[in-house]
Amino acid sequence: KKKKNHSSVQVWRRQSCFMPFFEQGTRVWYTNKREDWCLGVVLSQQAHKLTVQPQVNALSEATPSDSGADAPVVVNAARVIAVEEGALQEQADMCAYAQLSEPVILQNVHTRFAQDRIYTYVGPILVSVNPYRPLPLYDAPTLQRYIGRQLGEEAPHLYALAEHAYRDMLREGMNQSVLISGESGAGKTEATKVILQYLAAVSGRVGGSPVERRLLEASPLLEAFGNAKTVRNNNSSRFGKNVLVYFSRVGAIQGAKIVNYLLEKSRIVAQAPEERNYHIFYQFCAGASKEERRTYGIMKANNFRYLQQCTEIPGVSDKAGFEQVRRSFDALGFAPGERASVFRSLAAILHLGNVDFVPSDKVADGSQVANMPVLNVVSDLLGVSVSNLAEALCNRSVGSSNRSSVYMRPLRVEDAIATRDALAKAIYGALFAWLVKRINKTFRFADGSKPGVSNSSSSSDSSYYASHAPFFISVLDIFGFEIFEQNSFEQFC
């Protein structure tokens, strides 16, 4: 059954009660046993069984029959799509196809990707395929070519999408949103940076401000604290973010605000095989100075329990990454005391992970810290009493509904370990939230006011933003989690 959507592109919907008939010689798409889309020519049809002669196409390096030979195959006619005229021709905008189906999309994207054309339009939607290697697509001459051009006048590109949002904002006087979605490793983090780079460049043409540079300098810092190596991506964002860039009526950047969502705190205490904790921990271990190592007790990464799953990324220097973090701190105006607080928190988490527990020799079904010198380091870094910290880790407070009476219940070893890990996650979650808030304070409006101080959406805030910068472009990067055959809590959240 054919159904038209708003762009008049026909999308096929199969119904089990509908039995299509294909004439001999009709070119069709069909799926093999691996669920791959293959191209073939109809030889004959008997009821719902269709005999097809496989043909070579862009989606298969060889003849796409199930056995690898060119022998005819028998397929279910209900799972076959006729190849419309022009469906095998490459298109920069796939709305040009009469029939937009899954095999047509895959065929076109595959063909363009083989020519290093990683971007393809579907109307105002940009489809991007990560090449996992540098391509000469983001230099200054290329950026200049897209300024002032309509969508579709140049080859598909992130610059074109950013230009489209920017011009519509100024022409229509309306806020714009760019939604970046895809699985982990699809290139969303890089796409966000490219769009922000473009907005900073076009804004500078009508009146630049320090916010533009600070907005770009914030990216390495957020990546260090919010990104990690996964099985699919060496630099996967483990949190969602919405970057709101505020503009004046003439299109100059006046301020910005970052709103973060759903930090994956479970990664702090446990990672899947071949995955790492957040980059900053390894960067800290690799790049800390001698004085910092002595002050914070920093050792090699494999000496910390929370970092032992996987310590290195081939071809990536954690020491160089830490130097970039230092430069970002400088560019964003972090005071020495603020940096020291960040480093103390990171070190406290690492040492906390090395705290061990054994059954208590005083309380039945209780526990006690097995290595008090390590806990002493943690307490010094956090600035709390070591006895109070030990009591909090090995006991749970239980009280009445009105808290009129409270008593401590001993925890077993496994429960104390869970409490230790919960504390580590809570510290990092608070650190990350503070970091985002602190970065937002650097995105000041021209009069020195701070658009990032509050996440409130009250009417007073709305009027306040409108008086300083009436428009904004929102760049939302949030859909980055994996889909596996067997999914854990992180995939569902």
Side-chain angles (χ1 to χ4, degrees), residues 153-430:
E153 289 185 10
E154 295 286 342
H157 201 291
L158 282 165
Y159 289 159
L161 208 63
E163 172 69 17
H164 183 57
Y166 182 74
R167 296 301 167 188
D168 277 2
M169 176 191 69
L170 295 178
R171 182 173 57 253
E172 300 176 7
M174 296 180 62
N175 300 328
Q176 304 291 313
S177 293
V178 179
L179 174 61
I180 303 175
S181 65
E183 288 190 88
S184 178
K188 298 178 303 303
T189 298
E190 292 301 316
T192 301
K193 290 192 291 186
V194 169
I195 289 175
L196 294 178
Q197 288 169 357
Y198 187 88
L199 295 177
V202 295
S203 168
R205 293 164 58 92
V206 294
S209 73
V211 175
E212 298 164 2
R213 179 177 56 84
R214 292 170 185 163
L215 188 60
L216 300 181
E217 288 289 349
S219 291
L221 206 56
L222 289 173
E223 286 186 28
F225 284 83
N227 289 26
K229 177 187 181 301
T230 66
V231 293
R232 292 187 176 180
N233 186 0
N234 287 342
N235 190 33
S236 175
S237 295
R238 310 313 298 170
F239 71 106
K241 63 179 177 291
N242 190 15
V243 183
L244 294 97
V245 186
Y246 293 87
F247 295 86
S248 67
R249 294 189 181 279
V250 296
I253 292 179
Q254 298 295 295
K257 180 169 72 172
I258 299 172
V259 182
N260 62 292
Y261 307 93
L262 299 174
L263 177 69
E264 185 186 42
K265 290 184 286 187
S266 61
R267 181 169 295 272
I268 299 297
V269 300
Q271 307 89 42
E274 300 183 20
E275 295 195 352
R276 298 208 313 177
N277 210 319
Y278 289 100
H279 294 324
I280 187 60
F281 291 111
Y282 307 93
Q283 294 170 349
F284 191 25
C285 291
S289 65
K290 290 183 179 180
E291 182 179 354
E292 289 168 340
R293 291 181 183 278
R294 182 172 59 255
T295 301
Y296 306 115
I298 295 303
M299 305 173 284
K300 291 183 177 180
N302 57 11
N303 290 319
F304 294 106
R305 177 180 282 120
Y306 289 159
L307 308 183
Q308 292 176 347
Q309 183 64 53
C310 174
T311 59
E312 296 181 350
I313 301 176
V316 175
S317 171
D318 288 317
K319 185 176 181 179
F322 195 63
E323 291 303 315
Q324 177 60 61
V325 168
R326 292 188 192 276
R327 289 193 294 271
S328 293
F329 278 147
D330 291 337
L332 297 175
F334 277 68
E338 292 175 317
R339 304 183 199 197
S341 295
V342 171
F343 295 154
R344 278 200 305 272
S345 298
L346 294 174
I349 292 170
L350 293 177
H351 289 291
L352 183 60
N354 285 354
V355 174
D356 295 320
F357 300 90
V358 294
S360 174
D361 53 10
K362 298 179 181 180
V363 181
D365 292 329
S367 61
Q368 63 186 36
V369 176
N371 47 355
M372 285 301 295
V374 177
L375 193 65
N376 276 321
V377 174
V378 177
S379 67
D380 289 341
L381 291 168
L382 294 178
V384 298
S385 164
V386 66
S387 59
N388 289 343
L389 181 58
E391 182 180 23
L393 291 175
C394 298
N395 298 273
R396 185 175 70 181
S397 60
V398 179
S400 59
S401 58
N402 59 3
R403 306 295 291 180
S404 59
S405 60
V406 178
Y407 69 94
M408 305 301 291
R409 191 179 79 177
L411 296 177
R412 294 174 297 180
V413 170
E414 57 269 28
D415 296 326
I417 292 173
T419 301
R420 174 201 68 192
D421 292 345
L423 177 59
K425 291 186 286 187
I427 294 172
Y428 195 80

